[in-house]
Amino acid sequence: MLPTAARRSLAGLIPPKIATPGAVSSGTTSARTAQVIDFYSKLPKGPKPSSERASGLRGRYFEGKNASGKPLLATVGILFLIGYTIDYNMHLKHHKSGHH
């Protein structure tokens, strides 16, 4: 990554005029150090809240407190019943003209 690209990507994290090594490392508390402390004290603490929530069928049945595999089993069962019905009707068509 180019130095300018890295600088641009980090520009939102650290204010460029406030957090300089000279201002932070000096032994006395100055106005610049107070600005740095004030800036960092306003930042949110703790883990980032989850902004990506699943919606639709996945969010309703497979994630969260109501998570279960019942919809998956129901889908397999329904597909089995549909396949069995089609197979049985094809078998009946075979018997239409006579026995085996």
Side-chain angles (χ1 to χ4, degrees), residues 5-23:
R7 203 173 290 139
R8 261 186 269 133
S9 66
L10 294 175
L13 298 175
I14 301 171
K17 303 268 186 197
I18 295 175
T20 60

Side-chain angles (χ1 to χ4, degrees), residues 15-89:
K17 303 268 186 197
I18 295 175
T20 60
V24 176
S25 66
S26 65
T28 61
T29 304
S30 65
R32 295 183 105 188
T33 307
Q35 287 177 337
V36 171
I37 292 170
D38 184 50
F39 172 76
Y40 283 106
S41 66
K42 291 179 183 176
L43 291 176
K45 293 166 182 62
K48 181 180 175 185
S50 177
S51 62
E52 188 176 316
R53 292 200 162 232
S55 61
L57 293 176
R58 180 177 172 201
R60 182 178 291 171
Y61 296 112
F62 297 110
E63 292 183 359
K65 63 181 180 179
N66 293 328
S68 75
K70 288 182 183 179
L72 185 63
L73 292 175
T75 303
V76 169
I78 289 171
L79 289 174
F80 175 76
L81 288 175
I82 290 171
Y84 182 79
T85 304
I86 291 171
D87 188 44
Y88 184 72
N89 283 325

